[in-house]
Amino acid sequence: MGSFFSGASSGVKNHVSSFCCKVLQAGPIPRHVAFIMDGNRRFAVKQHVERAQGHIMGFDKLVETLEWCLDLGIEEATVYAFSIENFKRSKDEVDGLMELAKQKFTRLLEEKELIEKHGVCVRVLGDLSRLPRDLQVAVGNAVNFSRNNTRLFLNVCLSYTSRHEMANAMQLLAQGVEDGPLLPSDVDEELFEQCLYTRKSPDPDLLVRTSGEVRLSDFLLWQSSFTCLHFSDALWPEFSIWDFFAAILHYQQDFPQIKAAREQHRQKSFAHQRSLSPKEFAERRVRVQVFLNKLNTSEEEFFRSIAS
C-alpha cells in the first residue's frame, strides 16, 4: 500500500457494499470498536510465505479496516498490536515485529498531511519502556503530532496486557494516596478506570477477534464488561468488509441488552456518589481532579521526552 490511507472514504469500493453500509447506518453504529488481530502467522503458513510477510499483510488489513471505520462513522478503534507475552517469541520474530512497527510509525510521520486530512489521532497504550529506543522515538513523534486530531482515534496497544494495565493503575492509585492528594476513601471503580491506559476513551462497544479463537487473551478485560464480543473464523489478513459488516450487525442485534446493562451499572455508580454529603463530594472532587491533572501532565511529559 503506497500510503497509510489510500484515500478519503475508499474502504467501500463498490455499489453493493456501499448500499450495505448505508443500510447499517440506519441502525446504531458502535462509537468504539476494538480488534484482536489474530491469525497473521497461520495465514503466512497457509500462503507458504515468511512469518514477517504475514505480519506485513496484517498491517495492510488494519489500514483497510480503519477506512471501513471511517466510512461507517465509527469514532474510535483500539487494536491489539503486540502483547507483553509476545516478547517470549523467538528473537528473530520479535526483532522483525519491532522493526515493522518502527517502519509504520515512521510512515505516519512521512504522511502528516494525510493523517491531518483524515483527522486521525494516534495513541499508543502499554508499557513503552520495554520497546527499543528507536521505536519509542517513532511512537512519541506520532502521538505528539496527531494529538489534536478528533475525527478517528486510533489506540495501538503495544507492549500491553490487561493485567499489567490494571496492576499499573493500582500502583498509581497507591502512590496518589501515599504522596497525596488522594484519601483511601477516594478510590473507587470510576477513579480506577481513570488510571488505566484507556482513560481518554469510552469502553469499546464492539470487540472483534479473528482466526476462530474464542478468548480475549488479556486484552481490555476491565473495559469489556458491557461490550458485544464477536468472534470471526477469518484469519486477520483475510478479514473482509463482509466479515466487518457481520460484526456490526451482531452489535446492532445485541444493542438493546448492552444499552440496558450499561445504564443499570451507571445508576449504581451514581448511587455511590449520592452517599456522600455535598461538602464531602466537593472536597473529593477537588482531590481527584488534582490527582488526574498530575497524571495527565506526567503522560504528556513522557511522550515529549521519548520523541526526537
PDB file of all heavy atoms in Angstrom, residues 219-249:
ATOM      1  N   PHE A 219      -6.755  -8.880  26.917  1.00  0.00           N
ATOM      2  CA  PHE A 219      -6.959  -7.616  26.183  1.00  0.00           C
ATOM      3  C   PHE A 219      -8.220  -6.932  26.673  1.00  0.00           C
ATOM      4  O   PHE A 219      -9.317  -7.494  26.610  1.00  0.00           O
ATOM      5  CB  PHE A 219      -7.069  -7.918  24.687  1.00  0.00           C
ATOM      6  CG  PHE A 219      -7.304  -6.716  23.813  1.00  0.00           C
ATOM      7  CD1 PHE A 219      -6.423  -5.650  23.805  1.00  0.00           C
ATOM      8  CD2 PHE A 219      -8.407  -6.652  22.970  1.00  0.00           C
ATOM      9  CE1 PHE A 219      -6.633  -4.546  22.984  1.00  0.00           C
ATOM     10  CE2 PHE A 219      -8.626  -5.564  22.145  1.00  0.00           C
ATOM     11  CZ  PHE A 219      -7.735  -4.503  22.157  1.00  0.00           C
ATOM     12  N   LEU A 220      -8.085  -5.727  27.208  1.00  0.00           N
ATOM     13  CA  LEU A 220      -9.214  -4.889  27.617  1.00  0.00           C
ATOM     14  C   LEU A 220     -10.200  -5.652  28.505  1.00  0.00           C
ATOM     15  O   LEU A 220     -11.423  -5.545  28.335  1.00  0.00           O
ATOM     16  CB  LEU A 220      -9.939  -4.332  26.388  1.00  0.00           C
ATOM     17  CG  LEU A 220      -9.115  -3.462  25.432  1.00  0.00           C
ATOM     18  CD1 LEU A 220     -10.001  -2.957  24.299  1.00  0.00           C
ATOM     19  CD2 LEU A 220      -8.457  -2.285  26.144  1.00  0.00           C
ATOM     20  N   LEU A 221      -9.687  -6.403  29.476  1.00  0.00           N
ATOM     21  CA  LEU A 221     -10.560  -7.216  30.314  1.00  0.00           C
ATOM     22  C   LEU A 221     -11.509  -6.362  31.148  1.00  0.00           C
ATOM     23  O   LEU A 221     -12.691  -6.666  31.262  1.00  0.00           O
ATOM     24  CB  LEU A 221      -9.714  -8.115  31.229  1.00  0.00           C
ATOM     25  CG  LEU A 221      -8.773  -9.102  30.534  1.00  0.00           C
ATOM     26  CD1 LEU A 221      -8.021  -9.924  31.564  1.00  0.00           C
ATOM     27  CD2 LEU A 221      -9.536 -10.004  29.578  1.00  0.00           C
ATOM     28  N   TRP A 222     -10.993  -5.284  31.739  1.00  0.00           N
ATOM     29  CA  TRP A 222     -11.842  -4.407  32.550  1.00  0.00           C
ATOM     30  C   TRP A 222     -12.838  -3.663  31.672  1.00  0.00           C
ATOM     31  O   TRP A 222     -14.009  -3.527  32.018  1.00  0.00           O
ATOM     32  CB  TRP A 222     -10.953  -3.415  33.316  1.00  0.00           C
ATOM     33  CG  TRP A 222     -11.722  -2.436  34.153  1.00  0.00           C
ATOM     34  CD1 TRP A 222     -12.285  -1.249  33.750  1.00  0.00           C
ATOM     35  CD2 TRP A 222     -12.042  -2.571  35.533  1.00  0.00           C
ATOM     36  NE1 TRP A 222     -12.921  -0.633  34.794  1.00  0.00           N
ATOM     37  CE2 TRP A 222     -12.792  -1.425  35.908  1.00  0.00           C
ATOM     38  CE3 TRP A 222     -11.762  -3.530  36.508  1.00  0.00           C
ATOM     39  CZ2 TRP A 222     -13.259  -1.219  37.208  1.00  0.00           C
ATOM     40  CZ3 TRP A 222     -12.226  -3.330  37.798  1.00  0.00           C
ATOM     41  CH2 TRP A 222     -12.966  -2.189  38.136  1.00  0.00           C
ATOM     42  N   GLN A 223     -12.387  -3.190  30.527  1.00  0.00           N
ATOM     43  CA  GLN A 223     -13.191  -2.302  29.683  1.00  0.00           C
ATOM     44  C   GLN A 223     -14.289  -3.036  28.922  1.00  0.00           C
ATOM     45  O   GLN A 223     -15.176  -2.396  28.352  1.00  0.00           O
ATOM     46  CB  GLN A 223     -12.286  -1.578  28.681  1.00  0.00           C
ATOM     47  CG  GLN A 223     -11.231  -0.688  29.312  1.00  0.00           C
ATOM     48  CD  GLN A 223      -9.922  -1.420  29.626  1.00  0.00           C
ATOM     49  OE1 GLN A 223      -9.906  -2.635  29.800  1.00  0.00           O
ATOM     50  NE2 GLN A 223      -8.827  -0.674  29.682  1.00  0.00           N
ATOM     51  N   SER A 224     -14.236  -4.364  28.878  1.00  0.00           N
ATOM     52  CA  SER A 224     -15.162  -5.126  28.028  1.00  0.00           C
ATOM     53  C   SER A 224     -16.324  -5.747  28.783  1.00  0.00           C
ATOM     54  O   SER A 224     -16.999  -6.641  28.266  1.00  0.00           O
ATOM     55  CB  SER A 224     -14.388  -6.236  27.293  1.00  0.00           C
ATOM     56  OG  SER A 224     -13.389  -5.686  26.466  1.00  0.00           O
ATOM     57  N   SER A 225     -16.599  -5.254  29.991  1.00  0.00           N
ATOM     58  CA  SER A 225     -17.688  -5.822  30.798  1.00  0.00           C
ATOM     59  C   SER A 225     -19.044  -5.698  30.107  1.00  0.00           C
ATOM     60  O   SER A 225     -19.908  -6.572  30.249  1.00  0.00           O
ATOM     61  CB  SER A 225     -17.740  -5.133  32.160  1.00  0.00           C
ATOM     62  OG  SER A 225     -16.546  -5.329  32.876  1.00  0.00           O
ATOM     63  N   PHE A 226     -19.252  -4.612  29.375  1.00  0.00           N
ATOM     64  CA  PHE A 226     -20.527  -4.367  28.713  1.00  0.00           C
ATOM     65  C   PHE A 226     -20.295  -4.160  27.215  1.00  0.00           C
ATOM     66  O   PHE A 226     -20.786  -3.215  26.610  1.00  0.00           O
ATOM     67  CB  PHE A 226     -21.224  -3.157  29.334  1.00  0.00           C
ATOM     68  CG  PHE A 226     -21.403  -3.281  30.818  1.00  0.00           C
ATOM     69  CD1 PHE A 226     -20.561  -2.620  31.692  1.00  0.00           C
ATOM     70  CD2 PHE A 226     -22.395  -4.093  31.336  1.00  0.00           C
ATOM     71  CE1 PHE A 226     -20.716  -2.738  33.061  1.00  0.00           C
ATOM     72  CE2 PHE A 226     -22.560  -4.226  32.707  1.00  0.00           C
ATOM     73  CZ  PHE A 226     -21.717  -3.550  33.578  1.00  0.00           C
ATOM     74  N   THR A 227     -19.543  -5.063  26.629  1.00  0.00           N
ATOM     75  CA  THR A 227     -19.145  -4.979  25.230  1.00  0.00           C
ATOM     76  C   THR A 227     -19.686  -6.174  24.457  1.00  0.00           C
ATOM     77  O   THR A 227     -19.679  -7.300  24.969  1.00  0.00           O
ATOM     78  CB  THR A 227     -17.600  -4.958  25.113  1.00  0.00           C
ATOM     79  OG1 THR A 227     -17.095  -3.790  25.754  1.00  0.00           O
ATOM     80  CG2 THR A 227     -17.148  -4.978  23.664  1.00  0.00           C
ATOM     81  N   CYS A 228     -20.143  -5.931  23.245  1.00  0.00           N
ATOM     82  CA  CYS A 228     -20.540  -7.029  22.359  1.00  0.00           C
ATOM     83  C   CYS A 228     -19.283  -7.716  21.837  1.00  0.00           C
ATOM     84  O   CYS A 228     -18.425  -7.073  21.226  1.00  0.00           O
ATOM     85  CB  CYS A 228     -21.371  -6.481  21.192  1.00  0.00           C
ATOM     86  SG  CYS A 228     -21.819  -7.723  19.949  1.00  0.00           S
ATOM     87  N   LEU A 229     -19.169  -9.012  22.085  1.00  0.00           N
ATOM     88  CA  LEU A 229     -17.999  -9.782  21.651  1.00  0.00           C
ATOM     89  C   LEU A 229     -18.346 -10.559  20.385  1.00  0.00           C
ATOM     90  O   LEU A 229     -19.307 -11.340  20.371  1.00  0.00           O
ATOM     91  CB  LEU A 229     -17.552 -10.742  22.752  1.00  0.00           C
ATOM     92  CG  LEU A 229     -17.268 -10.123  24.127  1.00  0.00           C
ATOM     93  CD1 LEU A 229     -16.860 -11.206  25.123  1.00  0.00           C
ATOM     94  CD2 LEU A 229     -16.187  -9.054  24.031  1.00  0.00           C
ATOM     95  N   HIS A 230     -17.554 -10.344  19.347  1.00  0.00           N
ATOM     96  CA  HIS A 230     -17.797 -11.008  18.062  1.00  0.00           C
ATOM     97  C   HIS A 230     -16.546 -11.770  17.660  1.00  0.00           C
ATOM     98  O   HIS A 230     -15.455 -11.180  17.541  1.00  0.00           O
ATOM     99  CB  HIS A 230     -18.145  -9.982  16.983  1.00  0.00           C
ATOM    100  CG  HIS A 230     -18.430 -10.600  15.645  1.00  0.00           C
ATOM    101  ND1 HIS A 230     -19.654 -11.116  15.304  1.00  0.00           N
ATOM    102  CD2 HIS A 230     -17.628 -10.803  14.559  1.00  0.00           C
ATOM    103  CE1 HIS A 230     -19.609 -11.598  14.077  1.00  0.00           C
ATOM    104  NE2 HIS A 230     -18.387 -11.417  13.608  1.00  0.00           N
ATOM    105  N   PHE A 231     -16.706 -13.078  17.430  1.00  0.00           N
ATOM    106  CA  PHE A 231     -15.578 -13.925  17.063  1.00  0.00           C
ATOM    107  C   PHE A 231     -15.757 -14.392  15.620  1.00  0.00           C
ATOM    108  O   PHE A 231     -16.753 -15.025  15.279  1.00  0.00           O
ATOM    109  CB  PHE A 231     -15.477 -15.118  18.019  1.00  0.00           C
ATOM    110  CG  PHE A 231     -15.274 -14.704  19.460  1.00  0.00           C
ATOM    111  CD1 PHE A 231     -16.342 -14.637  20.336  1.00  0.00           C
ATOM    112  CD2 PHE A 231     -14.012 -14.347  19.912  1.00  0.00           C
ATOM    113  CE1 PHE A 231     -16.163 -14.245  21.654  1.00  0.00           C
ATOM    114  CE2 PHE A 231     -13.821 -13.944  21.231  1.00  0.00           C
ATOM    115  CZ  PHE A 231     -14.899 -13.891  22.104  1.00  0.00           C
ATOM    116  N   SER A 232     -14.768 -14.052  14.804  1.00  0.00           N
ATOM    117  CA  SER A 232     -14.807 -14.371  13.376  1.00  0.00           C
ATOM    118  C   SER A 232     -13.829 -15.500  13.068  1.00  0.00           C
ATOM    119  O   SER A 232     -12.723 -15.538  13.618  1.00  0.00           O
ATOM    120  CB  SER A 232     -14.433 -13.129  12.557  1.00  0.00           C
ATOM    121  OG  SER A 232     -14.252 -13.451  11.191  1.00  0.00           O
ATOM    122  N   ASP A 233     -14.227 -16.404  12.192  1.00  0.00           N
ATOM    123  CA  ASP A 233     -13.341 -17.510  11.802  1.00  0.00           C
ATOM    124  C   ASP A 233     -12.229 -17.060  10.850  1.00  0.00           C
ATOM    125  O   ASP A 233     -11.234 -17.765  10.674  1.00  0.00           O
ATOM    126  CB  ASP A 233     -14.153 -18.625  11.139  1.00  0.00           C
ATOM    127  CG  ASP A 233     -15.047 -19.367  12.129  1.00  0.00           C
ATOM    128  OD1 ASP A 233     -14.684 -19.407  13.328  1.00  0.00           O
ATOM    129  OD2 ASP A 233     -16.095 -19.891  11.713  1.00  0.00           O
ATOM    130  N   ALA A 234     -12.383 -15.903  10.226  1.00  0.00           N
ATOM    131  CA  ALA A 234     -11.397 -15.444   9.239  1.00  0.00           C
ATOM    132  C   ALA A 234     -10.062 -15.141   9.913  1.00  0.00           C
ATOM    133  O   ALA A 234     -10.026 -14.570  11.011  1.00  0.00           O
ATOM    134  CB  ALA A 234     -11.907 -14.203   8.521  1.00  0.00           C
ATOM    135  N   LEU A 235      -8.974 -15.533   9.282  1.00  0.00           N
ATOM    136  CA  LEU A 235      -7.662 -15.082   9.730  1.00  0.00           C
ATOM    137  C   LEU A 235      -7.571 -13.582   9.458  1.00  0.00           C
ATOM    138  O   LEU A 235      -8.143 -13.080   8.488  1.00  0.00           O
ATOM    139  CB  LEU A 235      -6.556 -15.843   9.003  1.00  0.00           C
ATOM    140  CG  LEU A 235      -6.556 -17.370   9.177  1.00  0.00           C
ATOM    141  CD1 LEU A 235      -5.462 -18.008   8.318  1.00  0.00           C
ATOM    142  CD2 LEU A 235      -6.397 -17.761  10.635  1.00  0.00           C
ATOM    143  N   TRP A 236      -6.819 -12.862  10.306  1.00  0.00           N
ATOM    144  CA  TRP A 236      -6.849 -11.405  10.208  1.00  0.00           C
ATOM    145  C   TRP A 236      -6.551 -10.876   8.805  1.00  0.00           C
ATOM    146  O   TRP A 236      -7.293 -10.013   8.305  1.00  0.00           O
ATOM    147  CB  TRP A 236      -5.912 -10.781  11.235  1.00  0.00           C
ATOM    148  CG  TRP A 236      -5.824  -9.294  11.105  1.00  0.00           C
ATOM    149  CD1 TRP A 236      -4.743  -8.567  10.706  1.00  0.00           C
ATOM    150  CD2 TRP A 236      -6.879  -8.339  11.342  1.00  0.00           C
ATOM    151  NE1 TRP A 236      -5.035  -7.221  10.675  1.00  0.00           N
ATOM    152  CE2 TRP A 236      -6.342  -7.056  11.061  1.00  0.00           C
ATOM    153  CE3 TRP A 236      -8.206  -8.442  11.753  1.00  0.00           C
ATOM    154  CZ2 TRP A 236      -7.097  -5.893  11.191  1.00  0.00           C
ATOM    155  CZ3 TRP A 236      -8.965  -7.280  11.878  1.00  0.00           C
ATOM    156  CH2 TRP A 236      -8.403  -6.021  11.594  1.00  0.00           C
ATOM    157  N   PRO A 237      -5.508 -11.322   8.098  1.00  0.00           N
ATOM    158  CA  PRO A 237      -5.263 -10.761   6.761  1.00  0.00           C
ATOM    159  C   PRO A 237      -6.391 -11.064   5.772  1.00  0.00           C
ATOM    160  O   PRO A 237      -6.495 -10.405   4.737  1.00  0.00           O
ATOM    161  CB  PRO A 237      -3.948 -11.431   6.325  1.00  0.00           C
ATOM    162  CG  PRO A 237      -3.272 -11.807   7.606  1.00  0.00           C
ATOM    163  CD  PRO A 237      -4.399 -12.219   8.511  1.00  0.00           C
ATOM    164  N   GLU A 238      -7.238 -12.073   6.082  1.00  0.00           N
ATOM    165  CA  GLU A 238      -8.350 -12.429   5.200  1.00  0.00           C
ATOM    166  C   GLU A 238      -9.658 -11.744   5.599  1.00  0.00           C
ATOM    167  O   GLU A 238     -10.667 -11.892   4.904  1.00  0.00           O
ATOM    168  CB  GLU A 238      -8.569 -13.952   5.235  1.00  0.00           C
ATOM    169  CG  GLU A 238      -7.394 -14.752   4.713  1.00  0.00           C
ATOM    170  CD  GLU A 238      -7.589 -16.251   4.887  1.00  0.00           C
ATOM    171  OE1 GLU A 238      -8.231 -16.662   5.871  1.00  0.00           O
ATOM    172  OE2 GLU A 238      -7.090 -17.009   4.036  1.00  0.00           O
ATOM    173  N   PHE A 239      -9.648 -11.017   6.691  1.00  0.00           N
ATOM    174  CA  PHE A 239     -10.851 -10.357   7.211  1.00  0.00           C
ATOM    175  C   PHE A 239     -11.392  -9.390   6.156  1.00  0.00           C
ATOM    176  O   PHE A 239     -10.706  -8.462   5.737  1.00  0.00           O
ATOM    177  CB  PHE A 239     -10.490  -9.612   8.495  1.00  0.00           C
ATOM    178  CG  PHE A 239     -11.651  -9.053   9.269  1.00  0.00           C
ATOM    179  CD1 PHE A 239     -12.551  -9.893   9.904  1.00  0.00           C
ATOM    180  CD2 PHE A 239     -11.825  -7.675   9.397  1.00  0.00           C
ATOM    181  CE1 PHE A 239     -13.605  -9.384  10.648  1.00  0.00           C
ATOM    182  CE2 PHE A 239     -12.875  -7.150  10.132  1.00  0.00           C
ATOM    183  CZ  PHE A 239     -13.769  -8.013  10.761  1.00  0.00           C
ATOM    184  N   SER A 240     -12.627  -9.608   5.749  1.00  0.00           N
ATOM    185  CA  SER A 240     -13.201  -8.837   4.634  1.00  0.00           C
ATOM    186  C   SER A 240     -14.207  -7.816   5.143  1.00  0.00           C
ATOM    187  O   SER A 240     -14.630  -7.837   6.309  1.00  0.00           O
ATOM    188  CB  SER A 240     -13.891  -9.772   3.645  1.00  0.00           C
ATOM    189  OG  SER A 240     -15.086 -10.292   4.219  1.00  0.00           O
ATOM    190  N   ILE A 241     -14.633  -6.946   4.246  1.00  0.00           N
ATOM    191  CA  ILE A 241     -15.651  -5.971   4.615  1.00  0.00           C
ATOM    192  C   ILE A 241     -16.955  -6.661   4.998  1.00  0.00           C
ATOM    193  O   ILE A 241     -17.707  -6.174   5.852  1.00  0.00           O
ATOM    194  CB  ILE A 241     -15.878  -4.955   3.469  1.00  0.00           C
ATOM    195  CG1 ILE A 241     -16.689  -3.753   3.984  1.00  0.00           C
ATOM    196  CG2 ILE A 241     -16.556  -5.607   2.278  1.00  0.00           C
ATOM    197  CD1 ILE A 241     -16.739  -2.593   3.033  1.00  0.00           C
ATOM    198  N   TRP A 242     -17.200  -7.861   4.443  1.00  0.00           N
ATOM    199  CA  TRP A 242     -18.415  -8.600   4.784  1.00  0.00           C
ATOM    200  C   TRP A 242     -18.297  -9.179   6.190  1.00  0.00           C
ATOM    201  O   TRP A 242     -19.302  -9.231   6.921  1.00  0.00           O
ATOM    202  CB  TRP A 242     -18.678  -9.673   3.739  1.00  0.00           C
ATOM    203  CG  TRP A 242     -18.705  -9.087   2.360  1.00  0.00           C
ATOM    204  CD1 TRP A 242     -17.790  -9.269   1.365  1.00  0.00           C
ATOM    205  CD2 TRP A 242     -19.672  -8.147   1.847  1.00  0.00           C
ATOM    206  NE1 TRP A 242     -18.118  -8.519   0.275  1.00  0.00           N
ATOM    207  CE2 TRP A 242     -19.267  -7.824   0.529  1.00  0.00           C
ATOM    208  CE3 TRP A 242     -20.819  -7.558   2.363  1.00  0.00           C
ATOM    209  CZ2 TRP A 242     -19.989  -6.942  -0.268  1.00  0.00           C
ATOM    210  CZ3 TRP A 242     -21.534  -6.670   1.568  1.00  0.00           C
ATOM    211  CH2 TRP A 242     -21.118  -6.377   0.274  1.00  0.00           C
ATOM    212  N   ASP A 243     -17.113  -9.620   6.576  1.00  0.00           N
ATOM    213  CA  ASP A 243     -16.889 -10.051   7.957  1.00  0.00           C
ATOM    214  C   ASP A 243     -17.091  -8.875   8.914  1.00  0.00           C
ATOM    215  O   ASP A 243     -17.657  -9.027  10.004  1.00  0.00           O
ATOM    216  CB  ASP A 243     -15.463 -10.601   8.121  1.00  0.00           C
ATOM    217  CG  ASP A 243     -15.212 -11.849   7.299  1.00  0.00           C
ATOM    218  OD1 ASP A 243     -16.079 -12.738   7.278  1.00  0.00           O
ATOM    219  OD2 ASP A 243     -14.133 -11.929   6.671  1.00  0.00           O
ATOM    220  N   PHE A 244     -16.629  -7.704   8.493  1.00  0.00           N
ATOM    221  CA  PHE A 244     -16.784  -6.498   9.304  1.00  0.00           C
ATOM    222  C   PHE A 244     -18.259  -6.134   9.439  1.00  0.00           C
ATOM    223  O   PHE A 244     -18.737  -5.832  10.540  1.00  0.00           O
ATOM    224  CB  PHE A 244     -16.006  -5.357   8.645  1.00  0.00           C
ATOM    225  CG  PHE A 244     -16.040  -4.063   9.407  1.00  0.00           C
ATOM    226  CD1 PHE A 244     -15.505  -3.966  10.676  1.00  0.00           C
ATOM    227  CD2 PHE A 244     -16.589  -2.924   8.826  1.00  0.00           C
ATOM    228  CE1 PHE A 244     -15.529  -2.762  11.372  1.00  0.00           C
ATOM    229  CE2 PHE A 244     -16.617  -1.720   9.506  1.00  0.00           C
ATOM    230  CZ  PHE A 244     -16.085  -1.634  10.780  1.00  0.00           C
ATOM    231  N   PHE A 245     -18.990  -6.177   8.346  1.00  0.00           N
ATOM    232  CA  PHE A 245     -20.418  -5.880   8.390  1.00  0.00           C
ATOM    233  C   PHE A 245     -21.158  -6.876   9.293  1.00  0.00           C
ATOM    234  O   PHE A 245     -22.103  -6.506   9.998  1.00  0.00           O
ATOM    235  CB  PHE A 245     -21.015  -5.921   6.988  1.00  0.00           C
ATOM    236  CG  PHE A 245     -20.687  -4.717   6.130  1.00  0.00           C
ATOM    237  CD1 PHE A 245     -20.958  -4.720   4.769  1.00  0.00           C
ATOM    238  CD2 PHE A 245     -20.136  -3.578   6.684  1.00  0.00           C
ATOM    239  CE1 PHE A 245     -20.682  -3.623   3.974  1.00  0.00           C
ATOM    240  CE2 PHE A 245     -19.848  -2.465   5.908  1.00  0.00           C
ATOM    241  CZ  PHE A 245     -20.112  -2.490   4.551  1.00  0.00           C
ATOM    242  N   ALA A 246     -20.745  -8.147   9.263  1.00  0.00           N
ATOM    243  CA  ALA A 246     -21.378  -9.154  10.122  1.00  0.00           C
ATOM    244  C   ALA A 246     -21.174  -8.809  11.594  1.00  0.00           C
ATOM    245  O   ALA A 246     -22.085  -8.985  12.418  1.00  0.00           O
ATOM    246  CB  ALA A 246     -20.809 -10.538   9.822  1.00  0.00           C
ATOM    247  N   ALA A 247     -19.993  -8.295  11.924  1.00  0.00           N
ATOM    248  CA  ALA A 247     -19.724  -7.893  13.305  1.00  0.00           C
ATOM    249  C   ALA A 247     -20.606  -6.707  13.703  1.00  0.00           C
ATOM    250  O   ALA A 247     -21.142  -6.666  14.817  1.00  0.00           O
ATOM    251  CB  ALA A 247     -18.249  -7.542  13.463  1.00  0.00           C
ATOM    252  N   ILE A 248     -20.764  -5.742  12.798  1.00  0.00           N
ATOM    253  CA  ILE A 248     -21.612  -4.579  13.083  1.00  0.00           C
ATOM    254  C   ILE A 248     -23.068  -5.016  13.264  1.00  0.00           C
ATOM    255  O   ILE A 248     -23.771  -4.543  14.173  1.00  0.00           O
ATOM    256  CB  ILE A 248     -21.513  -3.536  11.948  1.00  0.00           C
ATOM    257  CG1 ILE A 248     -20.068  -3.037  11.783  1.00  0.00           C
ATOM    258  CG2 ILE A 248     -22.457  -2.376  12.213  1.00  0.00           C
ATOM    259  CD1 ILE A 248     -19.508  -2.320  12.996  1.00  0.00           C
ATOM    260  N   LEU A 249     -23.521  -5.927  12.427  1.00  0.00           N
ATOM    261  CA  LEU A 249     -24.891  -6.425  12.542  1.00  0.00           C
ATOM    262  C   LEU A 249     -25.097  -7.152  13.870  1.00  0.00           C
ATOM    263  O   LEU A 249     -26.146  -7.008  14.520  1.00  0.00           O
ATOM    264  CB  LEU A 249     -25.207  -7.357  11.367  1.00  0.00           C
ATOM    265  CG  LEU A 249     -26.637  -7.889  11.289  1.00  0.00           C
ATOM    266  CD1 LEU A 249     -27.642  -6.756  11.186  1.00  0.00           C
ATOM    267  CD2 LEU A 249     -26.780  -8.844  10.104  1.00  0.00           C
TER     268      LEU A 249
END
